[in-house]
Amino acid sequence: MSHAAPIQRKIIHIDMDAFYASVEQRDFPELRGKPLVVGGSPEGRGGVVATASYEARKFGIHSAMPSKTAQRLCPEVIFVHPRFDVYKAVSRSLHEIFHRYTDIIEPLSLDEAYLDVTEDKLGIGYAMDIAREIKKAVREELNLTASAGVSISKFVAKIASDLDKPDGLTFIGPSRIEAFMEGLAVEKFHGVGKVTAARMKAMGIYKGADLKTYQEADLVRLFGKVGRFYYNIVRGIDNRPVTPYRETKSVSVEDTYQEDLTTKEAMLEEFLLLTAKLQARLKRNGLKGRTLTLKFKFHDFTIITRSRSVDGFIEDEPMIQMLTRQILDKTDLTEKKVRLLGIGVSNFNMPNADEDRENGAGGPIQLKLF
């Protein structure tokens, strides 16, 4: 008895180009062609960059960078406050365009989404043609540009969308995927951060081809559960479906440090930098939660989390900072070397309950990144 071959999916990853900054330059002609940062301010305590225009990126400015650093790199950079209501309205228009072609849409943020166009509504047939039409509609109707990646899996489509920014369109077909992954630098693998990339390079793993020489069991032993993902993805195996709806359980940000943090003062300083970015993500997604969680990963890769819930909602940056100080004061970090910090808000709809939690190695909090 013969079995039909599985349907090969047609996946498009759409990523708007410098979204917030591009909307500001679209709406205010005097900002066009100038180095622009949305979010943060070099005044007072400052903040962090939410989005930088391509003109600003030429100076090395990027998202999550402290505003004071951005100004130091480019003294003439222009800072503007984010207009999240406008960005949300543009995002709704963007999704109206998507829905002309498919209803299987997985949003990752206001400006980024996966589309499964295997059965496209207009019967166009070719995913590249659909991507071209979407890009054209975005340009003509929204006066913005988007980059698109097209492939048979989410992982490869996402990488493809990054290859020719801005206004790019890249197709990586089934016959090219393994060779493409073999030639990809490890730091380009989504999910491989700076510290993991440095660790891989110290082991002689510079590209996918180097990663491919390791057995699955070895990668799991070296990197934990994510090692199984590395083993599969370097072989082009990614069967995750495009999921039209995902309930947001938490919103968080985290950072890994080149040098371990050993004092609470240093940790608090880093948490305050992360707070601004967390608040921006909450605001742009219209979310208010009741529980704040701090995450600590130590030098030996063990992880603990500490949480605090409040009556009402965690609504603003000062409140996040206050709770962060309270949690940090109560956390025993004696003789601990911290290599990663994370901060997140959850419990958006559930009843309030005060809590303190601790997870050992292998049990990190579920963090949803946008």
Side-chain angles (χ1 to χ4, degrees):
M1 181 178 177
S2 62
H3 296 277
I7 297 174
Q8 203 164 75
R9 313 308 294 177
K10 301 175 183 176
I11 309 296
I12 301 174
H13 179 258
I14 298 288
D15 192 4
M16 300 296 288
D17 299 320
F19 183 51
Y20 297 169
S22 295
V23 171
E24 296 300 331
Q25 290 179 321
R26 180 197 70 177
D27 293 349
F28 301 99
E30 65 273 17
L31 298 177
R32 295 173 190 170
K34 296 181 179 179
L36 174 71
V37 160
V38 177
S41 168
E43 307 300 327
R45 281 191 54 256
V48 296
V49 174
T51 303
S53 69
Y54 282 97
E55 295 84 358
R57 295 181 190 192
K58 293 177 182 177
F59 293 88
I61 298 172
H62 56 77
S63 62
M65 172 181 284
S67 301
K68 292 181 184 295
T69 304
Q71 189 178 50
R72 187 165 62 249
L73 290 172
C74 179
E76 62 269 30
V77 70
I78 301 169
F79 290 88
V80 300
H81 293 292
R83 298 181 298 148
F84 291 109
D85 56 336
V86 175
Y87 309 148
K88 288 179 183 177
V90 175
S91 182
R92 285 193 293 270
S93 298
L94 178 64
H95 278 257
E96 288 174 3
I97 292 172
F98 294 163
H99 277 286
R100 296 173 195 169
Y101 303 92
T102 180
D103 291 323
I104 306 177
I105 300 164
E106 181 179 339
L108 301 178
S109 62
L110 293 179
D111 61 335
E112 185 181 3
Y114 291 113
L115 286 68
D116 187 330
V117 297
T118 309
E119 299 178 6
D120 63 288
K121 292 163 73 172
L122 300 183
I124 295 170
Y126 292 104
M128 281 291 283
D129 290 342
I130 297 171
R132 287 191 187 94
E133 289 203 15
I134 291 173
K135 283 169 50 65
K136 180 181 178 183
V138 169
R139 183 169 54 251
E140 293 179 352
E141 298 174 31
L142 305 181
N143 197 20
L144 296 168
T145 64
S147 292
V150 180
S151 192
I152 61 171
S153 73
K154 291 165 67 172
F155 187 91
V156 179
K158 183 172 177 64
I159 291 178
S161 68
D162 286 338
L163 293 180
D164 193 26
K165 277 181 154 293
D167 200 19
L169 175 59
T170 303
F171 171 64
I172 301 176
S175 63
R176 291 180 52 208
I177 288 177
E178 276 209 65
F180 174 79
M181 298 304 293
E182 288 176 359
L184 195 67
V186 291
E187 58 266 30
K188 296 293 185 181
F189 279 65
H190 291 283
V192 175
K194 292 181 292 185
V195 171
T196 301
R199 188 176 169 208
M200 286 183 172
K201 289 178 180 179
M203 297 165 56
I205 305 173
Y206 293 91
K207 294 187 176 182
D210 303 319
L211 192 62
K212 202 172 181 179
T213 63
Y214 285 76
Q215 296 298 314
E216 181 177 356
D218 294 328
L219 292 176
V220 171
R221 177 177 53 81
L222 290 166
F223 300 104
K225 292 180 180 179
V226 73
R228 187 169 293 110
F229 176 75
Y230 297 153
Y231 178 84
N232 286 324
I233 208 63
V234 76
R235 291 164 173 78
I237 302 170
D238 179 14
N239 297 319
R240 295 172 300 156
V242 175
T243 307
Y245 174 78
R246 295 187 303 170
E247 181 182 2
T248 301
K249 295 185 177 179
S250 65
V251 174
S252 65
V253 294
E254 60 183 43
D255 201 0
T256 303
Y257 304 99
Q258 297 278 6
E259 297 182 4
D260 293 334
L261 306 177
T262 56
T263 68
K264 285 190 175 182
E265 290 77 13
M267 294 176 207
L268 178 60
E269 185 176 340
E270 296 300 332
F271 271 129
L272 294 181
L273 288 175
L274 291 173
T275 294
K277 190 175 180 183
L278 174 64
Q279 174 62 12
R281 288 185 174 181
L282 290 168
K283 188 173 181 180
R284 78 175 183 231
N285 289 284
L287 294 171
K288 296 177 183 178
R290 294 181 174 89
T291 301
L292 184 77
T293 298
L294 302 187
K295 173 183 176 182
F296 304 83
K297 178 185 280 188
F298 301 118
H299 184 75
D300 61 0
F301 292 95
T302 58
I303 294 170
I304 67 168
T305 64
R306 289 290 188 270
S307 299
R308 175 66 65 206
S309 295
V310 299
D311 294 324
F313 289 101
I314 299 168
E315 299 195 50
D316 53 31
E317 195 172 333
M319 190 172 188
I320 296 174
Q321 293 176 354
M322 178 191 70
L323 291 170
T324 298
R325 287 185 170 93
Q326 291 177 358
I327 297 170
L328 193 58
D329 285 343
K330 290 185 64 177
T331 304
D332 183 8
L333 297 170
T334 307
E335 297 183 359
K336 294 287 188 179
K337 296 181 179 180
V338 174
R339 64 184 310 143
L340 176 148
L341 293 174
I343 182 169
V345 170
S346 60
N347 196 6
F348 298 121
N349 299 306
M350 298 184 66
N352 174 41
D354 286 335
E355 61 176 332
D356 280 303
R357 294 189 298 158
E358 178 172 355
N359 293 339
I365 187 173
Q366 293 295 318
L367 296 178
K368 173 80 173 290
L369 296 180
F370 283 84

